[in-house]
Amino acid sequence: MKIALLAGDGIGPEIVAQAERVLRFLMADGLKMELESGLLGGCAVDATGEPFPEATRKLVIEADAVLLGAVGGLKYDNLPREKRPEQGLLTIRKTLNLFANLRPVILYPELANASTLKPEIVAGLDILIVRELTGDIYFGQPRGIEQRDGQRVGFNTMIYSESEIRRIAHIAFQAARRRQGKVCSVDKMNVLECTQLWRDIVTETAQTYPDVALTHMLVDNAAMQLVRDPKQFDVIVTGNMFGDILSDEASMLTGSIGMLPSASLNDQNKGLYEPIHGSAPDIAGKNIANPLATILSTAMMLRYSFNQEIAASRIEHAVKKVLKQGYRTADIFESGMKRVGTVEMGDAVLANM
Amino acid sequence: MKIALLAGDGIGPEIVAQAERVLRFLMADGLKMELESGLLGGCAVDATGEPFPEATRKLVIEADAVLLGAVGGLKYDNLPREKRPEQGLLTIRKTLNLFANLRPVILYPELANASTLKPEIVAGLDILIVRELTGDIYFGQPRGIEQRDGQRVGFNTMIYSESEIRRIAHIAFQAARRRQGKVCSVDKMNVLECTQLWRDIVTETAQTYPDVALTHMLVDNAAMQLVRDPKQFDVIVTGNMFGDILSDEASMLTGSIGMLPSASLNDQNKGLYEPIHGSAPDIAGKNIANPLATILSTAMMLRYSFNQEIAASRIEHAVKKVLKQGYRTADIFESGMKRVGTVEMGDAVLANM
Ligand SMILES: CC(C)[C@H](C(=O)O)[C@@H](O)C(=O)O
Ligand SMILES: CC(C)[C@H](C(=O)O)[C@@H](O)C(=O)O
């Protein structure tokens, strides 16, 4: 089991360092894994001029799974599009064919107060967002900015094929079987033909899963319902663009995005695992970032790419215990709790394993 | 001042009837207006086979302003795309060139409890969303579903020209001058070239408004920030698709979408005015729908299309008084308040005028 560690930018190195300690702890305990580090994003641009250098490409292609911190930072915002850190992330997704982005949105009971929503609306929240990650307007051609009739126009192409929709629908239905058995597919079929096809194919795929209840929702309504009554959802499946927006909205319902991991998988369960939060350059290097989302991402890695359910649960239980014991980084701190830094939070997790 | 009344489907006729009473009250009081009714949406399909019949096209082209109830209903969902009620709405927007959609998101102090967000997060909320309404992926060509390499693909085109972006940016900056002087422009420039042009043109246009503070935000972050801290926003300006999603999300923060009006304007301030809620077929014909959003839409009409600030304020004050007096339709009812039906709510507004 070879794991590529891509710490990335901003707080990336600090949080990945804590996740690496957890992995090394499990290795010392007998789990056979090999770790190798590489550069992605802004740090890669600084070192090589490219956000996704050839050495990193080789590394992630050889690896069985990738653990990523976060990429991006103000100083890279003015680089040409193809040199920006985000481009590294998009290229890695496409290169490894990581079409299935799984984002669990869970509100830990200990952190219920962190939400800006009323406790009764979010207590017990447990949604899985399944976002298609290698298609849609993110990658569609043609795209660009060009001169037409004497002025510039900017354009992009939203596009999905039947097979792209079908494979992500299968992922969602299968995930629902292991949960509450409900899938809500989100589209904008009343306006966009592309998402009309989405709805048709998801509906057709549902026939193979008579035990799963499928509903459809328009994206504008979904954005509302997540605020109005998020607990109505079990699994949400949607395209790349709508998934980007709705998954960020949903994660913020918990008030603690420093806690939420994600997995991006290909059809052989090779995956890239990363916290859903960003690189937070403003707090980088200060030992205050929350490493738990990254640590929980390693649990997803062990479960999805390596089928190591026991090791995965062990990490997740350690994180729950740490919360029960009152350890809090600044982002989730409340009075009465023990405020700790990034490294100390890593210590606390290890102590509970 | 000629006003076209398009009651539409579901609860449309009931809520427009109450708004019409308010307009007729002002007419009796000396305001010169002429009202004429027409068909749009499902009711038009039923009567003529078309969601936007020729007679309605003539009517709205001649009129100085349009008041719309709501369109759509389950029974029309299986019609071919070009016959669906929504198509009537999209065509009317395009025909009248209503590129500027203004959606104020206001939380009335009396209704603070209706929000699913904690009171301290939303108390005093007052955002204006300026959504571009005649461009973007809603109208971009090419679009469709076709066979490619042995399977169907669905595709749409996101597209904006400089001039389209510039005119909506002006609307946003001018609106900000009459408010707190802040504009947040929302895009996805890190992925989409179309919205890179958006950001460039908005930035350029801002130079004419040195008194307005411009910030930019990525759409995924905006979806989060609306949940995390909505009061950070004054005016939000964005494209048609992102505006559809974010404005619905924002309106739900208030918990009372039965209260929120909207205006869609062309460059001569001709406008279409409508509540932001839908046609709610499940409660149609039961005298329980909330007519206040439609009544408040007539206030926006008097202000934006007819420059009748006094009459507009008069309506808005009457609505505020009605809330203070405790009148509530079912959607905003709380114990201790006076529960009233659609007509009785209309009575209460008239009584306060
Ligand atoms: C950084 C950006 C390109 C990326 C996306 O839009 O997919 C991010 O927002 C995400 O959700 O992973
Ligand atoms: C009905 C639909 C076509 C419309 C839109 O997407 O613009 C609606 O959601 C709105 O926001 O007015």
Side-chain angles (χ1 to χ4, degrees):
Chain A
M1 309 194 307
K2 181 164 178 180
I3 302 172
L5 299 179
L6 308 180
D9 309 319
I11 57 172
E14 294 165 80
I15 55 181
V16 168
Q18 298 314 309
E20 184 176 347
R21 289 175 70 198
V22 170
L23 290 172
R24 293 204 183 277
F25 175 91
L26 291 170
M27 285 158 73
D29 209 40
L31 214 58
K32 285 216 169 66
M33 296 184 288
E34 202 185 304
L35 309 182
E36 193 175 330
S37 296
L39 297 172
L40 184 81
C43 61
V45 173
D46 289 342
T48 71
E50 297 294 331
F52 183 47
E54 189 50 35
T56 304
R57 176 187 303 267
K58 276 210 189 108
L59 171 64
V60 299
I61 288 176
E62 278 169 30
D64 300 297
V66 181
L67 182 69
L68 173 64
V71 296
L74 273 182
K75 82 180 245 219
Y76 309 107
D77 270 3
N78 294 320
L79 290 175
R81 177 168 300 275
E82 68 282 4
K83 299 280 181 196
R84 283 204 216 114
E86 300 92 331
Q87 211 50 46
L89 192 54
L90 296 176
T91 312
I92 208 172
R93 288 176 183 166
K94 198 69 181 174
T95 305
L96 301 181
N97 204 11
L98 306 173
F99 70 90
N101 184 211
L102 308 186
R103 292 181 46 161
V105 178
I106 290 174
L107 185 69
Y108 291 87
E110 292 82 5
L111 303 179
N113 277 331
S115 176
T116 54
L117 278 84
K118 292 177 180 160
E120 65 273 24
I121 303 294
V122 285
L125 187 68
D126 181 357
I127 304 178
L128 177 67
I129 302 202
V130 177
R131 169 187 174 197
E132 202 288 333
L133 204 60
T134 52
D136 203 349
I137 199 162
Y138 272 64
F139 297 95
Q141 296 285 351
R143 64 192 300 161
I145 298 179
E146 62 184 42
Q147 204 76 18
R148 288 194 200 163
D149 305 322
Q151 63 173 334
R152 277 173 297 167
V153 297
F155 54 95
N156 289 88
T157 301
M158 175 178 268
I159 181 163
Y160 268 119
S161 70
E162 281 185 59
S163 53
E164 284 176 311
I165 301 167
R166 202 169 285 122
R167 66 179 180 178
I168 192 73
H170 279 297
I171 300 281
F173 288 118
Q174 281 159 18
R177 278 195 170 154
R178 294 186 300 268
R179 298 172 44 99
Q180 293 176 52
K182 296 196 297 178
V183 169
C184 177
S185 168
V186 174
D187 61 47
K188 185 75 187 176
M189 71 77 112
N190 58 346
V191 175
L192 305 176
E193 286 87 347
C194 176
T195 69
Q196 171 71 61
L197 184 66
W198 177 280
R199 188 174 288 208
D200 293 347
I201 301 295
V202 171
T203 305
E204 191 187 292
T205 311
Q207 289 167 8
T208 332
Y209 302 88
D211 50 324
V212 177
L214 170 66
T215 54
H216 299 278
M217 198 177 273
L218 296 173
V219 63
D220 43 340
N221 191 24
M224 290 208 280
Q225 295 303 326
L226 279 172
V227 171
R228 199 185 71 82
D229 177 20
K231 284 191 270 181
Q232 72 187 276
F233 297 109
D234 178 21
V235 174
I236 294 178
V237 63
T238 190
N240 204 346
M241 185 73 254
F242 295 161
D244 180 47
I245 301 172
L246 295 181
S247 64
D248 272 10
E249 177 186 348
S251 62
M252 194 48 92
L253 300 175
T254 67
S256 27
I257 60 166
M259 297 297 303
L260 301 177
S262 75
S264 305
L265 305 174
N266 75 6
D267 52 10
Q268 275 108 47
N269 290 326
K270 176 161 174 170
L272 179 143
Y273 299 84
E274 56 176 325
I276 63 135
H277 59 71
S279 58
D282 49 320
I283 60 161
K286 296 184 179 158
N287 192 42
I288 54 180
N290 185 347
L292 293 179
T294 316
I295 290 173
L296 288 167
S297 295
T298 64
M300 287 190 94
M301 173 190 288
L302 291 167
R303 175 172 298 121
Y304 287 103
S305 286
F306 301 136
N307 233 328
Q308 296 286 340
E309 181 56 38
I310 294 173
S313 301
R314 201 167 157 194
I315 297 173
E316 288 165 351
H317 279 121
V319 168
K320 281 184 192 148
K321 272 205 208 148
V322 157
L323 293 178
K324 282 218 182 72
Q325 291 160 358
Y327 294 102
R328 300 286 187 273
T329 42
D331 57 314
I332 52 174
F333 182 73
E334 281 183 275
S335 74
M337 298 293 132
K338 294 172 222 162
R339 188 195 290 262
V340 293
T342 311
V343 176
E344 295 70 37
M345 188 57 109
D347 293 342
V349 173
L350 285 172
N352 277 290
M353 289 190 56
Chain B
M1 308 194 308
K2 182 164 176 179
I3 301 171
L5 299 178
L6 309 179
D9 309 318
I11 58 173
E14 295 163 80
I15 55 181
V16 168
Q18 298 313 310
E20 184 176 348
R21 290 174 71 198
V22 170
L23 290 173
R24 293 205 183 275
F25 176 91
L26 292 169
M27 286 158 74
D29 210 40
L31 213 59
K32 286 215 168 69
M33 296 184 289
E34 202 184 304
L35 310 181
E36 194 176 330
S37 297
L39 297 173
L40 184 81
C43 62
V45 173
D46 288 342
T48 72
E50 297 294 331
F52 184 47
E54 189 49 35
T56 304
R57 176 187 303 266
K58 276 210 189 105
L59 172 63
V60 300
I61 288 176
E62 279 168 32
D64 301 298
V66 181
L67 181 69
L68 173 64
V71 297
L74 273 183
K75 83 182 245 216
Y76 309 107
D77 270 3
N78 295 319
L79 290 174
R81 179 169 299 276
E82 68 284 4
K83 298 281 181 195
R84 281 201 218 120
E86 299 93 333
Q87 210 51 46
L89 191 56
L90 295 176
T91 313
I92 208 171
R93 288 175 183 168
K94 198 71 182 175
T95 306
L96 301 180
N97 203 10
L98 306 172
F99 69 91
N101 183 210
L102 309 186
R103 293 182 47 162
V105 178
I106 290 173
L107 185 69
Y108 291 87
E110 293 83 4
L111 303 179
N113 276 332
S115 175
T116 54
L117 278 83
K118 291 177 180 160
E120 66 272 24
I121 304 293
V122 286
L125 188 67
D126 181 357
I127 304 178
L128 176 67
I129 302 203
V130 178
R131 168 187 174 196
E132 202 288 334
L133 203 60
T134 53
D136 203 349
I137 199 162
Y138 272 65
F139 295 96
Q141 295 286 351
R143 64 192 300 159
I145 297 179
E146 61 184 43
Q147 205 75 19
R148 287 193 200 164
D149 305 321
Q151 63 174 336
R152 277 174 297 167
V153 298
F155 54 96
N156 289 88
T157 301
M158 174 178 268
I159 179 163
Y160 268 119
S161 69
E162 282 185 58
S163 52
E164 284 176 311
I165 301 166
R166 202 170 284 121
R167 66 179 180 178
I168 192 73
H170 280 296
I171 301 281
F173 288 119
Q174 282 158 19
R177 279 194 169 154
R178 294 186 300 268
R179 298 173 44 99
Q180 294 176 51
K182 295 196 298 179
V183 169
C184 177
S185 169
V186 174
D187 61 45
K188 184 75 187 177
M189 71 77 114
N190 56 346
V191 176
L192 305 176
E193 287 87 347
C194 176
T195 68
Q196 171 72 60
L197 184 66
W198 178 280
R199 187 175 288 208
D200 293 348
I201 301 295
V202 172
T203 305
E204 191 188 292
T205 311
Q207 291 168 6
T208 333
Y209 302 88
D211 50 325
V212 176
L214 170 66
T215 54
H216 299 278
M217 198 178 273
L218 296 174
V219 64
D220 44 338
N221 190 24
M224 290 209 280
Q225 295 301 326
L226 279 171
V227 171
R228 198 184 72 82
D229 178 19
K231 285 191 271 181
Q232 74 186 275
F233 296 108
D234 178 20
V235 175
I236 292 177
V237 63
T238 189
N240 205 346
M241 185 72 253
F242 295 161
D244 181 47
I245 301 172
L246 295 181
S247 63
D248 272 9
E249 177 186 349
S251 63
M252 193 49 90
L253 300 175
T254 68
S256 27
I257 60 167
M259 297 298 304
L260 301 177
S262 76
S264 305
L265 305 174
N266 74 7
D267 52 11
Q268 276 108 46
N269 290 327
K270 176 162 174 170
L272 179 142
Y273 300 84
E274 56 176 324
I276 64 136
H277 60 71
S279 58
D282 49 318
I283 60 161
K286 297 186 179 157
N287 192 43
I288 52 180
N290 185 347
L292 293 179
T294 316
I295 290 173
L296 289 166
S297 296
T298 65
M300 287 190 93
M301 172 190 289
L302 291 166
R303 175 172 298 121
Y304 288 103
S305 286
F306 301 136
N307 232 328
Q308 296 286 340
E309 180 56 37
I310 295 173
S313 302
R314 204 168 155 193
I315 297 173
E316 288 165 350
H317 280 122
V319 168
K320 281 185 191 149
K321 272 204 207 149
V322 157
L323 292 178
K324 281 219 182 72
Q325 291 161 358
Y327 293 101
R328 300 284 187 274
T329 42
D331 57 312
I332 51 174
F333 182 73
E334 280 184 275
S335 74
M337 299 292 133
K338 294 172 223 163
R339 189 195 289 262
V340 293
T342 312
V343 176
E344 295 70 38
M345 189 57 109
D347 293 343
V349 173
L350 285 171
N352 278 291
M353 290 190 55

